[in-house]
Amino acid sequence: DTLRISFTDGTARQFVVSDVKQYSDAAFPIEKVFLQEDEKRLNLITCSGSFDRSTKNYSNRLVVFTKLQEE
């Protein structure tokens, strides 16, 4: 799959999905998700799993890892 990001100046960049992973909130791998490498990336993070009303938090995080598709 691909993601197309459009900017206000009229340009756009396309990112290719390289992986999709779900992690428990307690074991979320911050270093892996926010790792700075030579490659240009865009990682999308959202909540998933069950919602705990007492903590107002979801049990899991879903991460879509992408890499910039060079033109």
Side-chain angles (χ1 to χ4, degrees):
D1 291 330
T2 60
L3 304 170
R4 183 178 171 88
I5 307 298
S6 299
F7 299 95
T8 57
D9 66 359
T11 62
R13 302 300 291 255
Q14 190 154 309
F15 292 81
V16 178
V17 174
S18 59
D19 205 358
V20 177
K21 296 279 187 182
Q22 182 169 281
Y23 302 100
S24 72
D25 183 46
F28 186 75
I30 292 173
E31 296 82 18
K32 179 178 180 175
V33 173
F34 294 104
L35 178 67
Q36 294 192 16
E37 298 178 334
D38 292 337
E39 293 182 298
K40 296 176 182 170
R41 300 177 176 273
L42 173 68
N43 295 334
L44 306 174
I45 306 164
T46 192
C47 299
S48 64
S50 58
F51 183 72
D52 183 337
R53 290 187 184 274
S54 63
T55 63
K56 299 180 180 170
N57 190 29
Y58 282 87
S59 59
N60 299 322
R61 301 293 177 266
L62 180 71
V63 182
V64 179
F65 295 91
T66 74
K67 296 178 183 178
L68 179 63
Q69 183 176 16
E70 298 294 339
E71 298 174 8

